[in-house]
Every structure is written in C-alpha cells, then in structure tokens.
Amino acid sequence: MQIVEILMAAFSLALGMVLASFLNVCIYRIPKGKPVAAGRSVCPKCGHEIRAWDNIPIVSYFLLKRKCRDCGATISVRYPVVEAIGGVCFLLTWLRFGMAWETPVIWTFACVLILIAFIDLDTQEIPDRFHLIILGLGIASFFLTDGPGIWQRLIGAAVISVPLLVISLATGGFGMGDVKLMAVSGFLLGWQATLFAGFAGCVLAAVVAGVLIAQKKKTRKDKIAFGPYLAIALFAAALYAQPIIGAYLSLFHIY
C-alpha cells in the first residue's frame, strides 16, 4: 500500500505540473483575447513553435539554460514557477484528501486560482468565466462530497463578499472581481473556511504591501492586485481551514 501511495503522490505532482504548463498558455492568451487552444505554444519573442521536448515542465527550462532554442531570448522564470505551484497544489490536495471526490474538485479549484492570481497580477482584472467555473464546482461539490450544507454555503457566499462589496462601493478599495471571487468561493467552501480565507488574505496582502512600501517599490496611494493573496488564502482554506479551526476551538473546549 505504501508503494501505491508514493506512486499516487508522484502522479499528482506530475499531473499538476503538466496542467500548470497549459495554465501558462492560458495566463498569456486570455488577457489578449486569444483562444487558449489555438495552435501550439510559441516563443513570444521570435514566434517559433516550441518543440514538444522543449516543453517538459520545469526540466526544459533548465536544460535550455533559460534561453529560447531558436532566438536565444531569456525565458521568464514565471513559467517554471507556475508549473511548480501547480505540482505542489496537486500534491498537497492528494495528501489531504486522497481517493475522494474532494480531490478532483480542489484540483480544479487550484487551477482556477492559479489563473486568477497571475492574470490579476498582470491586469488587475479577474475574468467572469473563472467565477462561473468556481460556482459550478460549488454546485458539484454539494452533490458529490460530504462538505458544507446548503445554508453554510449560502452564508459563506455572503460572509466576506458583502463586506467587500460595501467597501468597494464606498471607497473603491476592492474590485468587483474580488467580490465575486469571494462569493462563489464562499459557496464552494462554506462560511467557516471563507472567514478563514478572508482574514488570511487580508493579512497576507497587508504584509506584502507593507514590505513593498518599506522598499519604496509602492506608495500608499498605489493599488495592488488583491486576487493573488485571496487565491493563496482560499487554497489554504480549502485544505486546512477545518482542522485549524477545530484545533483552535478545542483549546477552549468549544469543538
């Protein structure tokens, strides 16, 4: 059984990296309005198609010494970073849920969150198609998993998104993409995990913003993309919010 578990963990890691390689294509093409399935990947500098053996996740980046084989242009470190993130997310999900319906649901959720994080980082926009996918995951998980009940999901859809909406309308401090992201993610995760994610995302964003301001890379008036920090917090909440909350409440003999 241990060998099977090791093989499944390795498969999860490899699958995550392979799918994340495709996510790199989506991150590049979606903001430009290009179809994600339109032909093979090309070098953004010279336009040459990338050969299959030059497109092995992470490995090819180092074998090519970070250079395009055709024109010698530097390959962005983002590509292997995204692939590594995808692999780690898939591996952690497998280790947390194993052979359960939660695994494919959270794998898909992780893929969408990676897209949201990097596209929002580039454009400060979150395409609505991603919100619809997460909503679909929430509906599917309601029927397939032993997750939160319908009322927990409905409360989760409102518990963070409504305050964000009020702040957005009053001050413009948050984008509507962030509001929608927390609404549909709240329906997927339930109110407890969503509260955890909302708090964690705000703390993470505040820490990063503070560091950037201290380094004089940003000013207090500059806007930062909130989506990446929400994405990190939401994935962490999907995996670990319930055991963390349970452990915390047990300290007070509440849970």
Side-chain angles (χ1 to χ4, degrees):
M1 179 62 73
Q2 188 176 9
I3 294 177
V4 174
E5 291 175 353
I6 293 173
L7 289 175
M8 286 303 300
F11 170 77
S12 300
L13 179 66
L15 179 62
M17 290 190 295
V18 170
L19 291 179
S21 181
F22 174 68
L23 296 182
N24 272 320
V25 176
C26 298
I27 291 166
Y28 176 77
R29 293 184 179 180
I30 288 175
K32 297 179 182 297
K34 297 180 178 180
V36 297
R40 296 182 59 174
S41 300
V42 300
C43 172
K45 297 293 184 181
C46 66
H48 278 86
E49 284 190 355
I50 299 175
R51 301 161 182 82
W53 54 86
D54 288 339
N55 210 20
I56 303 171
I58 299 178
V59 175
S60 292
Y61 178 78
F62 293 102
L63 290 179
L64 291 169
K65 298 180 180 178
R66 301 178 293 174
K67 303 288 185 180
C68 171
R69 185 184 294 276
D70 295 294
C71 68
T74 301
I75 300 172
S76 172
V77 71
R78 170 180 288 190
Y79 295 109
V81 166
V82 171
E83 291 162 354
I85 291 172
V88 170
C89 287
F90 272 48
L91 176 60
L92 291 177
T93 302
W94 170 259
L95 294 176
R96 175 72 176 88
F97 295 112
M99 193 68 71
W101 277 110
E102 284 83 356
T103 295
V105 169
I106 302 305
W107 276 353
T108 308
F109 188 43
C111 288
V112 178
L113 291 176
I114 290 171
L115 291 172
I116 286 173
F118 284 94
I119 290 177
D120 192 33
L121 195 63
D122 290 340
T123 67
Q124 294 200 350
E125 293 182 358
I126 302 176
D128 282 338
R129 70 184 75 178
F130 299 144
H131 303 130
L132 294 176
I133 294 172
I134 296 174
L135 178 60
L137 285 175
I139 295 171
S141 70
F142 176 71
F143 293 102
L144 295 175
T145 72
D146 295 326
I150 187 63
W151 284 109
Q152 290 177 305
R153 293 176 185 270
L154 291 175
I155 294 172
V159 68
I160 295 296
S161 65
V162 170
L164 288 186
L165 177 61
V166 172
I167 295 172
S168 177
L169 294 176
T171 68
F174 298 102
M176 289 304 298
D178 301 325
V179 175
K180 296 174 186 176
L181 173 60
M182 293 308 296
V184 293
S185 297
F187 185 79
L188 170 64
L189 302 178
W191 69 269
Q192 289 181 320
T194 306
L195 275 177
F196 175 92
F199 175 76
C202 288
V203 170
L204 182 57
V207 169
V208 173
V211 171
L212 292 175
I213 291 171
Q215 295 177 340
K216 297 183 179 180
K217 294 181 179 180
K218 294 283 186 180
T219 68
R220 295 181 182 275
K221 295 181 179 180
D222 290 330
K223 288 186 176 182
I224 64 170
F226 193 34
Y229 310 106
L230 290 179
I232 294 171
L234 285 167
F235 179 73
L239 265 58
Y240 305 118
Q242 291 305 325
I244 290 174
I245 293 171
Y248 176 77
L249 294 179
S250 68
L251 294 175
F252 303 96
H253 304 288
I254 298 174
Y255 182 73

